[in-house]
Amino acid sequence: MKIGETNVRGGTDTGSGTPPTGRKSLKNLLNGLNGQAMVSVGLKAMGALLALALQWAVARLYGATGSGLFALMATATTFIGVVAAWGQDFIVLRNVSGDLAESRYDLARGNVRASLRIALVGTIVGTAAIAGLALLYSGPFEQPKMTPILLWALPVCAGLAIARLFAFTARAGGAVIASQLPDGPLTSLVALLALGIIAVAWPSTGTWALGLVYGVAYASALLYSFVLARKVMQRWPTGTAGLDSAPLVRGGMLVALASATPYLTDWLILFTVDATISTAAAGQVRIVALFTSVMFLVTIAFESVFSPAMAAALRLDRRADVTRLYRQYAFGSAALALPIVIAAVLFPGLLLGIFGPEFVSAAPALRAAVVIQLLTILLGPAGTVLIMGKRESAILIVNAAGALFLVVGCFFLIPNYGVLGGVLASVGTLFVKRVAEIVVVRHSMGLRLVV
């Protein structure tokens, strides 16, 4: 086993290849979380630095307008890729974590294969959707520069939908740390290297190269995740249970809705800013959102470690463990995000100036964004509890609340407040959804998730 990999308990591999089961397994998993969380945070910090470097390179090479085009491409392809996964990444994490906790390796394999069939179909449809969007930009959307960018980014769909399923399979199987590399560090590094090579070898390359580097980055993520999942599954005893995909399709629909909504929100906000103000303004919104995204990466690091434990605790109906995990997640994430908040509140112009003078005017938006994002993080991962607790249907209520605020943002905040309005629409939608998630968890699951 490589450095950074753990078995299903979250501890160190004993070499036996057979993890303990039941309550002892959950206890051992919980005991190993603190160390894994710290390693995960370090990994996400590296990913955040690489993401910042990538956005800086795009801003410096192509300006605010190039940043806006890159943002429109990235949010659109990410949204479509997440929908294409059809929630099977989280479903396979939940199901396989539970199966392995009960030593049901045949069910674990069966769940992986059933979810993979769904994700493959979604990938084909999603890739066609990206191509269709590219044509719309050359026609009704009146932004022809986006067409070649999106066409070069076609591999992103497979690099998200299928790669995430493989990565989450590996995570459920114990490779908690290694499975996080595709989700940020690897893709940002590959994209940054590819962009650097293009900038040096062909300095006058057009904005279409932004789609190329993004597509190459996610193709590398797909290859890495496949190899990792295959290695993890080889340690499981042979035998596969035949499972019907229909229940996974139904359950995945609601999980996909929950997972994809934030990316759809980002794209709609950027699209509205681009249409009502300018592409450069969309670039400013994107750079501000980069800082809140870095804060969000911290929560992803904690979620990567805590989600399997949360699924196991809910499966065994250990509510005290659920509450404890929830509080550790919320306080740990907020504490690690706090330095970003302090720096952004005190020196917003200095931070934005790193990306170029065109971005400094967005300083008030940056201050507001990081404060609201910190409050959202403090509310905790209620959405994860809903998914791991098999309450996907309740997500409809949550998304309805978020959609209502998003409509207010797109039709009132953005036209009246510009870049600040776009930022408030983005972080405000997430905050409203998190509050709704907490209310739904309390009423549907009887859990008082008080931080």
Side-chain angles (χ1 to χ4, degrees), residues 155 159 163 182 185-191 213-227:
L186 179 61
T187 50
S188 294
L189 177 61
V190 172
V213 300
Y214 213 61
V216 170
Y218 275 94
S220 67
L222 175 59
L223 177 61
Y224 172 86
S225 299
F226 168 75
V227 173

Side-chain angles (χ1 to χ4, degrees), residues 57-67 195 198 203 205-210 358:
V58 171
R60 285 296 185 178
L61 290 171
Y62 297 99
T65 299
S67 292
L195 188 60
I198 291 174
T205 303
T207 53
W208 60 265
L210 298 174
E358 297 173 276

Side-chain angles (χ1 to χ4, degrees), residues 344-361:
V345 169
L346 294 179
F347 312 106
L350 180 63
L351 293 176
L352 291 171
I354 296 173
F355 298 89
E358 297 173 276
F359 300 95
V360 176
S361 60

Side-chain angles (χ1 to χ4, degrees), residues 16-255:
S16 65
T18 305
T21 62
R23 294 179 180 271
K24 183 178 179 181
S25 174
L26 177 61
K27 181 179 179 181
N28 290 333
L29 190 154
L30 292 173
N31 289 336
L33 286 177
N34 289 333
Q36 287 189 38
M38 290 302 100
V39 175
S40 297
V41 169
L43 195 61
K44 291 302 179 183
M46 180 179 68
L49 290 174
L50 290 170
L52 284 167
L54 175 61
Q55 293 287 348
W56 174 84
V58 171
R60 285 296 185 178
L61 290 171
Y62 297 99
T65 299
S67 292
L69 293 171
F70 183 75
L72 288 166
M73 176 273 297
T75 52
T77 54
T78 301
F79 164 68
I80 292 173
V82 172
V83 172
W86 205 246
Q88 298 310 303
D89 44 2
F90 284 100
I91 284 181
V92 84
L93 173 63
R94 180 186 69 194
N95 290 346
V96 173
S97 294
D99 294 338
L100 295 180
E102 297 174 350
S103 293
R104 294 299 308 273
Y105 299 99
D106 58 333
L107 282 178
R109 287 182 180 275
N111 272 306
V112 173
R113 293 189 179 183
S115 290
L116 180 58
R117 290 194 295 268
I118 298 169
L120 285 171
V121 174
T123 296
I124 295 172
V125 176
T127 302
I130 294 175
L133 181 62
L135 297 179
L136 287 175
Y137 268 108
S138 64
F141 291 173
E142 299 181 351
Q143 184 60 277
K145 288 185 177 181
M146 281 296 300
T147 299
I149 297 175
L150 285 169
L151 292 177
W152 279 107
L154 285 177
V156 173
C157 188
L160 268 167
I162 301 177
R164 281 175 64 90
L165 188 143
F166 284 142
F168 278 48
T169 297
R171 186 173 303 168
V176 176
I177 304 302
S179 66
Q180 296 178 59
L181 282 173
D183 195 10
L186 179 61
T187 50
S188 294
L189 177 61
V190 172
L192 185 61
L193 290 174
L195 188 60
I197 292 171
I198 291 174
V200 172
W202 303 280
S204 59
T205 303
T207 53
W208 60 265
L210 298 174
L212 173 62
V213 300
Y214 213 61
V216 170
Y218 275 94
S220 67
L222 175 59
L223 177 61
Y224 172 86
S225 299
F226 168 75
V227 173
L228 180 63
R230 187 170 182 271
K231 181 177 181 180
V232 168
M233 293 179 67
Q234 284 177 339
R235 299 199 298 264
W236 303 349
T238 57
T240 304
L243 297 177
D244 183 9
S245 296
L248 301 180
V249 172
R250 290 192 295 269
M253 178 177 64
L254 296 174
V255 177

Side-chain angles (χ1 to χ4, degrees), residues 339-381:
I340 300 174
V341 177
I342 293 173
V345 169
L346 294 179
F347 312 106
L350 180 63
L351 293 176
L352 291 171
I354 296 173
F355 298 89
E358 297 173 276
F359 300 95
V360 176
S361 60
L366 178 58
R367 281 197 179 102
V370 294
V371 171
I372 296 173
Q373 186 79 332
L374 179 64
L375 294 175
T376 302
I377 292 173
L378 274 170
L379 290 176

